[in-house]
C-alpha cells in the first residue's frame, strides 16, 4: 500500500503514452481543433482534479479503507471479524484457514461492486440535470482521444470522490481492491477514449466483454438516445444487464457527430477558463 500512488502513476503514464502513440500512428478520426488547443485544456483538468482530490481527501481512498479496517467499520470488515472470530489485520487473516479464500473473495466482490457503482454514478450524471451540468463538459469535447478520458470538471471529481469514499466506508472495501479498481478504471478510461478503431469483427468480439473505442464514441454522440447509453467505463456487461447497451449508432463511426451542438468546436470553448465556467452557463 505504501507504493499505491507510484503503481497508479506508472500504469497511468504507461497506458497514456501507449494509447497516444497508437492514435498518432493509426488515427480513427480527424480532430476539428489542433492537438495543442485541446490537450492544454484537457490535461489541465486532470491536474486540477488531482489537486481538488488531495485537498478534500488528503488520506485518499486507501486511507479511508485502512481507517475502516482499524475501526471495524463496513460490511466486509464485519464479515471478516465474524468469520475469523476477531478483527485481525490482513496478515493475520492470511494465516487463518479461511484467510486466503476470504481475502480473494472480498477483493473480487469489492472490485465488481465499485465498477457497478461507477456505472450507476455515470448514469445519474446523465439523467440528473444538476449533475449533467458538470458532466456535460466532458461530452463537449469536439473530438474523442486519450485526453478526453481525463477531461472531467473538478466539481464532478469532487462528487465522485465523495461517492466512492462513502462506498468504501459502508462496505469496508479493502485497500488492495481500491488500488486494483482505480488502476483499472484509469487504464480503461484512456483505452476506450483513444482515437483508434479495431476491425469491426474484432470490435464485436472484444465488445462482448469490454467497452471498445467505437462503443464509447457512441456514448459521445450528439444524439441523446445514443449518448444516454454505453455508460460502462470498462466492461460492457453492466450496460447489457441494465438495458443501456447500444451496439451500433445510426451514423457510421467515421462520420458520427461527436460533442455537444450548443458548444461549437472553436478555440475559445477549449480554453481552461471556458471548461471551468461551462457548467454555469445555460444548458440544453
Amino acid at each position: 500500500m505504501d507504493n499505491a500512488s507510484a503503481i497508479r502513476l506508472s500504469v497511468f503514464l504507461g497506458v497514456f503514452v501507449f494509447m497516444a502513440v497508437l492514435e498518432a500512428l493509426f488515427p480513427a478520426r480527424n480532430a476539428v481543433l489542433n492537438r495543442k488547443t485541446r490537450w492544454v485544456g484537457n490535461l489541465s483538468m486532470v491536474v486540477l482534479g488531482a489537486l481538488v482530490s488531495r485537498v478534500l481527501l488528503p488520506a485518499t481512498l486507501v486511507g479511508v479503507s485502512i481507517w475502516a479496517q482499524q475501526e471495524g467499520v463496513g460490511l466486509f470488515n464485519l464479515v471478516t471479524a465474524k468469520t475469523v472470530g476477531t478483527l485481525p489485520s490482513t496478515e493475520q487473516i492470511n494465516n487463518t484457514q479461511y484467510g486466503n479464500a476470504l481475502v480473494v473473495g472480498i477483493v473480487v466482490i469489492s472490485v465488481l461492486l465499485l465498477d457497478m457503482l461507477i456505472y450507476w454514478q455515470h448514469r445519474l450524471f446523465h439523467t440528473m440535470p444538476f449533475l449533467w451540468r458538470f458532466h456535460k463538459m466532458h461530452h463537449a469535447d469536439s473530438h474523442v482521444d486519450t485526453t478526453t478520458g481525463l477531461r472531467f470538471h473538478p466539481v464532478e471529481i469532487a462528487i465522485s470522490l465523495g461517492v466512492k469514499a462513502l462506498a468504501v466506508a459502508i462496505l469496508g472495501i479493502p485497500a488492495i481492491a481500491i488500488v486494483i479498481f482505480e488502476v483499472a478504471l484509469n487504464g480503461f478510461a484512456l483505452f476506450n477514449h483513444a482515437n483508434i478503431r479495431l476491425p469491426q469483427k474484432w470490435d464485436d468480439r472484444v465488445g462482448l466483454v469490454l467497452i471498445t473505442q467505437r462503443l464509447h464514441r457512441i456514448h459521445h454522440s450528439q444524439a441523446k438516445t445514443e449518448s444516454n447509453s454505453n455508460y460502462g467505463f470498462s466492461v460492457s456487461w453492466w450496460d447489457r444487464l441494465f438495458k443501456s447497451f447500444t451496439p451500433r449508432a445510426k451514423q457510421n463511426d467515421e462520420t458520427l457527430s461527436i460533442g455537444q451542438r450548443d458548444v461549437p468546436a472553436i478555440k475559445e470553448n477549449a480554453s481552461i477558463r471556458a471548461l471551468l465556467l461551462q457548467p454555469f452557463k445555460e444548458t440544453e
Side-chain angles (χ1 to χ4, degrees):
M1 290 306 97
D2 293 338
N3 297 321
S5 296
I7 292 170
R8 287 187 58 191
L9 182 60
S10 298
V11 174
F12 166 79
L13 291 176
V15 175
F16 178 82
V17 170
F18 180 68
M19 300 313 298
V21 169
L22 280 183
E23 64 184 18
L25 295 175
F26 311 106
R29 296 163 56 95
N30 294 320
V32 178
L33 299 175
N34 66 60
R35 180 174 297 175
K36 180 181 177 181
T37 297
R38 291 182 52 259
W39 279 35
V40 168
N42 289 0
L43 293 176
S44 295
M45 292 305 105
V46 73
V47 174
L48 292 175
L51 291 174
V52 167
S53 297
R54 182 60 65 180
V55 170
L56 293 180
L57 194 64
T60 73
L61 292 176
V62 169
V64 174
S65 172
I66 294 172
W67 168 83
Q69 184 186 45
Q70 292 173 342
E71 298 298 323
V73 174
L75 176 63
F76 293 136
N77 289 323
L78 295 175
V79 168
T80 300
K82 186 173 182 180
T83 303
V84 179
T86 182
L87 191 64
S89 67
T90 300
E91 290 77 11
Q92 290 171 314
I93 292 173
N94 288 336
N95 290 328
T96 69
Q97 59 179 319
Y98 305 105
N100 291 330
L102 181 64
V103 170
V104 170
I106 287 176
V107 168
V108 170
I109 293 171
S110 295
V111 171
L112 290 173
L113 288 176
L114 284 172
D115 199 50
M116 184 173 67
L117 173 69
I118 293 301
Y119 164 88
W120 280 107
Q121 175 188 281
H122 190 186
R123 193 161 178 169
L124 285 175
F125 267 96
H126 275 258
T127 55
M128 295 181 64
F130 173 75
L131 297 178
W132 170 245
R133 278 184 170 270
F134 296 98
H135 188 59
K136 181 181 177 181
M137 187 266 276
H138 173 71
H139 280 263
D141 200 346
S142 58
H143 181 62
V144 178
D145 66 9
T146 48
T147 66
T148 310
L150 308 172
R151 171 181 159 139
F152 293 96
H153 198 281
V155 173
E156 179 174 356
I157 295 295
I159 294 172
S160 180
L161 182 64
V163 170
K164 287 186 286 190
L166 189 61
V168 169
I170 291 175
L171 294 174
I173 291 175
I176 185 62
I178 295 170
V179 174
I180 292 171
F181 170 73
E182 293 206 315
V183 166
L185 182 66
N186 290 340
F188 278 116
L190 295 172
F191 167 78
N192 58 40
H193 282 90
N195 181 36
I196 61 175
R197 181 182 298 112
L198 297 174
Q200 189 63 63
K201 65 177 182 179
W202 283 106
D203 193 284
D204 290 335
R205 291 170 183 171
V206 175
L208 292 174
V209 179
L210 303 178
I211 294 291
T212 64
Q213 293 79 19
R214 183 187 60 82
L215 289 174
H216 197 72
R217 279 193 287 269
I218 293 173
H219 178 70
H220 279 262
S221 168
Q222 289 186 4
K224 281 292 183 182
T225 54
E226 295 173 350
S227 178
N228 291 336
S229 69
N230 297 358
Y231 296 107
F233 271 97
S234 53
V235 295
S236 62
W237 61 58
W238 302 125
D239 285 291
R240 296 176 188 275
L241 179 62
F242 298 118
K243 310 298 182 184
S244 59
F245 185 69
T246 299
R248 294 285 191 278
K250 291 182 179 178
Q251 296 175 287
N252 60 41
D253 190 51
E254 292 82 356
T255 60
L256 182 66
S257 299
I258 295 292
Q260 296 292 298
R261 294 188 181 92
D262 59 337
V263 185
I266 56 176
K267 185 175 181 179
E268 289 74 13
N269 285 335
S271 69
I272 299 172
R273 182 175 182 275
L275 296 183
L276 291 174
L277 293 179
Q278 190 181 112
F280 307 101
K281 296 181 179 180
E282 289 302 318
T283 61
E284 286 184 343

